[in-house]
Amino acid sequence: ETGVTQTPRHLVMGMTNKKSLKCEQHLGHNAMYWYKQSAKKPLELMFVYSLEERVENNSVPSRFSPECPNSSHLFLHLHTLQPEDSALYLCASSQDWASGSTYNEQFFGPGTRLTVL
Amino acid sequence: KQEVTQIPAALSVPEGENLVLNCSFTDSAIYNLQWFRQDPGKGLTSLLLIQSSQREQTSGRLNASLDKSSGRSTLYIAASQPGDSATYLCAVKDGANNLFFGTGTRLTVIP
């Protein structure tokens, strides 16, 4: 156990559905991340939150909407997804998010396997 | 943009063998390099983290080396066991605190 939990672990949704992924970290960290892992592709960073403020948004389509109500919780709201959005969505956290820091090791959750029909 | 390459993409070895996984990156201006393990359908578990000023890190049967100038890292696994079967991912961190991942090496250790 890494101290980062994600729910649900598996999700199947239609293209017109609205769903949300949840991530919770029990490590007292200040930074949280969403990554997308598609088959045979490197992990792609989607969003970064530091102290509940979004600090990175890597050209992610607006059908993905993150929310960070507090430093322990991170959500990814999904709306009108496409079949190519099917992937493993991983959440991670680190002590801080600081440019140039060499000690901000990221701890990953188990992921949510998303299938869009 | 940093690109991380891992070869081979897949590797099968008999139990007990020593093995080496390779990772290369295009931009040597990194802050650290991390090796992760990922079991099928699961999240990532950090194995070793090497700071840019370090040459290697060891944890049990695992040894990771870093040659920043040549853009290379290796993960050495000694006396492999079936429980080592997983995908091993390499990631480098840049000055903007971004992690760039390789596509991984899928390791199978045959009993």
Side-chain angles (χ1 to χ4, degrees):
Chain A
E1 293 296 327
T2 62
V4 181
T5 58
Q6 290 186 242
T7 55
R9 295 294 309 278
H10 300 272
L11 178 62
V12 179
M13 58 187 290
M15 293 168 61
T16 58
N17 291 157
K18 288 184 181 180
K19 296 286 184 183
S20 296
L21 310 185
K22 179 183 177 183
C23 175
E24 183 173 359
Q25 56 96 2
H26 311 274
L27 300 169
H29 288 168
N30 294 316
M32 296 187 77
Y33 310 75
W34 278 118
Y35 288 88
K36 175 183 178 182
Q37 187 177 32
S38 304
K40 299 187 179 179
K41 286 186 174 182
L43 266 78
E44 302 170 58
L45 179 65
M46 300 176 72
F47 301 104
V48 181
Y49 276 80
S50 176
L51 298 171
E52 301 149 44
E53 288 195 15
R54 191 188 306 181
V55 294
E56 286 281 340
N57 177 358
N58 286 349
S59 302
V60 179
S62 60
R63 58 185 184 268
F64 295 91
S65 175
E67 179 190 1
C68 188
N70 55 63
S71 59
S72 298
H73 294 86
L74 184 65
F75 294 89
L76 188 63
H77 303 299
L78 314 172
H79 175 51
T80 321
L81 294 193
Q82 305 297 312
E84 60 264 28
D85 297 322
S86 299
L88 182 67
Y89 288 84
L90 292 163
C91 172
S93 72
S94 65
Q95 183 61 54
D96 289 298
W97 184 88
S99 182
S101 171
T102 61
Y103 295 95
N104 284 331
E105 184 176 356
Q106 292 182 24
F107 295 82
F108 284 78
T112 295
R113 172 67 63 186
L114 174 67
T115 302
V116 181
L117 301 176
Chain B
K1 183 185 172 184
Q2 179 74 270
E3 290 188 9
V4 181
T5 303
Q6 291 186 247
I7 53 173
L11 179 64
S12 290
V13 299
E15 181 177 2
E17 269 203 9
N18 304 325
L19 60 102
V20 175
L21 307 180
N22 297 292
C23 172
S24 61
F25 45 96
T26 54
D27 186 347
S28 61
I30 66 169
Y31 277 86
N32 63 40
L33 182 143
Q34 203 165 352
W35 282 94
F36 293 88
R37 169 188 173 135
Q38 186 175 29
D39 292 286
K42 302 286 182 63
L44 278 63
T45 301
S46 179
L47 298 173
L48 290 164
L49 186 151
I50 311 176
Q51 304 298 344
S52 60
S53 59
Q54 296 176 321
R55 298 283 293 185
E56 66 177 341
Q57 280 284 341
T58 298
S59 175
R61 294 182 294 107
L62 305 180
N63 176 278
S65 69
L66 174 64
D67 184 342
K68 205 172 73 160
S69 60
S70 67
R72 294 176 189 276
S73 175
T74 61
L75 179 67
Y76 175 83
I77 302 177
S80 58
Q81 303 172 358
D84 295 330
S85 298
T87 295
Y88 291 81
L89 296 166
C90 164
V92 297
K93 179 176 284 190
D94 68 4
N97 214 40
N98 298 309
L99 268 182
F100 293 90
F101 285 83
T103 51
T105 294
R106 189 173 69 253
L107 173 66
T108 303
V109 180
I110 303 163

